[in-house]
Amino acid sequence: MSVVFKNRLVRWIDHRMPIFSSLHHEMYEYPVPRNLNYLWNFGFLAGLMLIIMIVTGIVLAMHYTPNTTMAFESVERIMRDVNYGWIIRYIHMNGASMFFILVYIHIFRGMYYGSYKAPREILWMLGVVIFFLMIVTAFIGYVLPWGQMSYWGATVITNLFSAIPWVGEDIVTWLWGGFSVDNPTLNRFFALHYLLPFVILGVVFLHVIALHRFGSNNPLGIDMKRPQDSISFHPYYTIKDAFTIGLFLIFFCYFIFFNPNYLGHPDNYIPADPLVTPAHIVPEWYFLPFYAILRAIPSKLGGVLLMGGAIAILFVLPWLDRSPVRSGRFRPMFKWFFALFVINCFVLGYCGANPPEGHFILISRIATAYYFAYFIVILPLLSVLEKPKPLPASISESIYQPKNHLE
Ligand code: HEM
């Protein structure tokens, strides 16, 4: 259906470049399931967070100096002398944590409601690419203030590549641009930290194109069949997204204004010193589950492979879970194993925050085993063994006659 715009200038532009009609199509004609719950707001919030990170990052880059002799001081100058520099930095610093909170909820939502299943496999895999790029971007960003944790975190993690047989050492030298984490490393990390968010933006664009091919999944996990199953994105979901933006900003502002250093490590306020190793080198909280997997087994190469495998396995998730039913709501066994999987991720995070000693070793081994078993053993087995509950005939029916089909 072609739309006629009232404004002449809009009509003139749209005739030559149909951006307004595409926007109109996405907002008013694109059908969205009418039963989406609040968990479907997190993609939008993540997009907002990406924009906030890019804008604040560009302003920070105007005042930051990527040189080992000046980086730490330049950040302190941003905090003390640059007008509103402190707030820009606190937004960016805490924004990274907020971004990961939103994306982790977004991922768990997709896992519970089976949003990765056909026909949304590419949408899911693009999400995993985004997640991987976010990890790299956040890791190199943390190196830039050139504090103790920046320096030692970078040293420990880049050194992991040395575990690769034959070429490992050469790869590490190549990554560093020298024989230790030093000025060339800081320079290239800064260049990449500026570049990668734009790459993420590009992949998010593809993510949304893939999303709009079949539209959103929904809490029931069944396809839209009737006109009354869907509503337009605008104004129904724009207003719902606006509401959660408000809630999210209150949460975000608490950290920015009342507890800006809560999520960080105090050692990063000590300038990097290659001669003094901190007692415990810990990454930012959002890496802790992966850090626990890395240290779960005594072999360096094995740990590196397991940690890489923990992310890589997400790519093939659509093919590991073969159950024909998408939503966890109708999967009586799956929902318990999934709940355990989420708890297990927190347990891994807790182990990652503690030194790999005593009972933490055993717990992180069990938790790592469950992490992989969930994907490789439990999901494929459930696909065969589980008897799903009957699905409602349609989205609208489940809303108007809930007793007939649910429970
Ligand atoms: C910068 C990060 C990301 C942004 C901005 C983003 C954006 C979005 C948006 C706007 C939606 C539609 C709204 C919604 O369903 O919440 C969406 C859906 C989706 N995203 Fe993401 N996403 C990001 C990361 C990820 C990651 C890391 C994954 C998985 C590993 C992922 C998987 C999905 C899936 C499966 C859907 C479809 C959900 C459904 O229809 O049920 N996304 N994303």
Side-chain angles (χ1 to χ4, degrees):
M1 190 181 71
S2 75
V3 48
V4 181
F5 294 102
K6 280 194 201 127
N7 186 303
R8 280 182 59 199
L9 179 64
V10 171
R11 268 207 311 272
W12 188 88
I13 297 175
D14 201 67
H15 183 63
R16 286 147 185 90
M17 182 177 61
I19 43 170
F20 296 103
S21 17
S22 339
L23 211 62
H24 184 274
H25 173 74
E26 298 305 334
M27 298 291 266
Y28 293 97
E29 290 154 22
Y30 168 70
V32 188
R34 66 189 304 155
N35 61 337
L36 297 187
N37 62 31
Y38 277 107
L39 289 172
W40 266 261
N41 288 36
F42 284 84
F44 193 89
L45 289 174
L48 172 76
M49 207 55 242
L50 178 62
I51 303 297
I52 293 177
M53 293 305 279
I54 290 180
V55 173
T56 51
I58 291 174
V59 179
L60 286 175
M62 293 173 188
H63 301 276
Y64 170 78
T65 314
N67 183 290
T68 50
T69 57
M70 286 181 276
F72 189 88
E73 273 81 9
S74 75
V75 174
E76 281 309 300
R77 207 185 91 81
I78 290 171
M79 295 298 287
R80 290 152 197 255
D81 292 343
V82 173
N83 290 336
Y84 297 102
W86 63 273
I87 195 172
I88 302 284
R89 173 156 186 255
Y90 279 158
I91 292 174
H92 198 78
M93 217 170 100
N94 287 284
S97 286
M98 297 300 125
F99 202 3
F100 274 96
I101 292 176
L102 296 172
V103 167
Y104 278 135
I105 296 175
H106 189 66
I107 296 176
F108 285 136
R109 183 283 314 261
M111 290 175 79
Y112 179 70
Y113 292 108
S115 299
Y116 48 81
K117 293 190 184 187
R120 296 184 182 80
E121 301 94 325
I122 294 190
L123 167 65
W124 169 261
M125 291 196 310
L126 287 168
V128 182
V129 172
I130 296 173
F131 180 50
F132 176 72
L133 290 172
M134 279 176 66
I135 291 177
V136 177
T137 310
F139 166 68
I140 57 183
Y142 194 59
V143 181
L144 303 183
W146 208 243
Q148 272 291 68
M149 277 300 162
S150 305
Y151 179 85
W152 288 99
T155 303
V156 169
I157 300 300
T158 47
N159 245 317
L160 293 176
F161 288 91
S162 68
I164 301 171
W166 312 109
V167 286
E169 297 288 346
D170 293 329
I171 290 178
V172 176
T173 312
W174 176 74
L175 285 175
W176 285 342
F179 297 102
S180 69
V181 171
D182 209 333
N183 205 43
T185 328
L186 182 60
N187 256 290
R188 59 187 56 190
F189 278 18
F190 178 56
L192 291 173
H193 188 67
Y194 206 130
L195 171 73
L196 286 180
F198 294 95
V199 178
I200 296 178
L201 197 63
V203 186
V204 168
F205 191 66
L206 298 179
H207 191 65
V208 175
I209 293 180
L211 172 76
H212 283 207
R213 175 71 180 88
F214 295 103
S216 288
N217 180 29
N218 64 82
L220 297 173
I222 55 175
D223 293 330
M224 290 179 277
K225 290 173 199 133
R226 307 172 183 174
Q228 61 267 39
D229 287 349
S230 65
I231 44 177
S232 61
F233 187 76
H234 182 71
Y236 301 104
Y237 285 113
T238 37
I239 198 73
K240 195 175 171 186
D241 280 329
F243 172 63
T244 41
I245 289 176
L247 291 185
F248 167 68
L249 289 182
I250 294 171
F251 178 71
F252 191 7
C253 284
Y254 164 75
F255 287 96
I256 299 169
F257 295 106
F258 295 97
N259 225 341
N261 292 304
Y262 179 71
L263 298 165
H265 198 291
D267 277 14
N268 229 26
Y269 282 102
I270 304 170
D273 186 346
L275 300 179
V276 180
T277 316
H280 300 298
I281 302 174
V282 276
E284 294 281 84
W285 69 265
Y286 36 80
F287 293 144
L288 291 175
F290 298 106
Y291 197 49
I293 293 177
L294 170 75
R295 299 181 308 175
I297 53 168
S299 139
K300 188 171 171 184
L301 179 62
V304 173
L305 290 176
L306 276 187
M307 186 172 70
I311 297 165
I313 203 155
L314 294 174
F315 274 107
V316 288
L317 174 58
W319 294 276
L320 295 172
D321 179 3
R322 309 296 299 177
S323 167
V325 172
R326 288 197 195 108
S327 173
R329 258 194 212 181
F330 302 100
R331 303 187 58 190
M333 291 162 79
F334 165 87
K335 61 167 80 161
W336 292 109
F337 286 107
F338 175 76
L340 199 57
F341 177 79
V342 177
I343 295 168
N344 191 60
C345 289
F346 282 95
V347 172
L348 279 171
Y350 182 65
C351 292
N354 286 285
E357 300 161 358
H359 60 280
F360 287 116
I361 299 181
L362 181 66
I363 299 174
S364 47
R365 283 183 188 165
I366 296 171
T368 302
Y370 184 75
Y371 183 95
F372 285 100
Y374 177 78
F375 292 104
I376 302 169
V377 183
I378 296 171
L379 287 183
L381 274 183
L382 284 185
S383 315
V384 185
L385 299 179
E386 187 181 47
K387 191 173 175 303
K389 291 186 189 173
L391 295 174
S394 73
I395 292 173
S396 49
E397 181 172 306
S398 77
I399 293 169
Y400 297 126
Q401 298 147 2
K403 292 216 171 68
N404 289 353
H405 290 282
L406 296 175
E407 302 301 336

